[in-house]
Amino acid sequence: MSDLYAPYSCMDSAGQEIARVMVQKFSSGLSCLGSTHILSLVWRKWRHDALRIDPYQRIMAMYSIFDILFSFFYFFLGTWMTPAETGWWGAVGNEKTCTMQGFFFMMGYGTAAYQMTLSLQMLLLVTFMWTPAQFAELLERKLHVFHVFTAIFISLMPIFFDSYN
């Protein structure tokens, strides 16, 4: 086996691969923890007084949901879901777990989409003097529906065409 095909997933050595995987799992664990905390804060406020939740908090809740899914399945589980045949360090998965990981990787679109939504909301509120109520009334629901359906659609399409593996 030549060095070109070394099973170190683009790393020069097994040590570098192990270090990368450990840093990835630790940082994604922190991301999941932070997003879970944000979600719990919004949930508690919603249970206490749902009318006091503003668009920013709803956007952050959805952003956190997509971040938890993406960080946990793609980064935290990472190599564990990769097929064992790859020879990568920690790879114990199979074709189905690889497909599942691909699905949640594509769901990561939701994190970028909600980041753009936050930016759009801030642009409208700060620059164009919109109120949170205007944003909620005119755009928020449409953006939530669009982002969720788009994330699901782009995550499912590769399954139908068997293109995750």
Side-chain angles (χ1 to χ4, degrees), residues 16-116:
Q16 286 180 347
E17 183 176 359
I18 291 169
R20 180 192 58 82
V21 168
M22 290 296 119
V23 167
Q24 182 176 314
K25 289 184 186 310
F26 180 73
S27 62
S28 65
L30 289 176
S31 180
C32 286
L33 189 64
S35 290
T36 302
H37 183 67
I38 291 169
L39 204 52
S40 71
L41 290 173
V42 174
W43 175 259
R44 254 185 270 148
K45 190 171 181 180
W46 179 78
R47 287 187 59 198
H48 180 67
D49 187 6
L51 297 176
R52 286 189 45 223
I53 296 179
D54 64 12
Y56 175 78
Q57 292 163 327
R58 289 188 293 267
I59 293 167
M60 284 302 296
M62 289 302 295
Y63 182 57
S64 296
I65 289 170
F66 278 104
D67 180 58
I68 290 166
L69 291 173
F70 181 65
S71 294
F72 181 74
F73 283 100
Y74 186 69
F75 289 114
F76 185 76
L77 292 181
T79 56
W80 294 330
M81 296 179 82
T82 304
E85 298 84 38
T86 62
W88 291 5
W89 184 82
V92 293
N94 56 37
E95 188 176 322
K96 297 219 182 292
T97 60
C98 187
T99 298
M100 189 167 93
Q101 185 179 32
F103 175 84
F104 285 105
F105 173 76
M106 294 306 290
M107 286 292 277
Y109 156 82
T111 58
Y114 276 102
Q115 182 62 52
M116 289 185 289

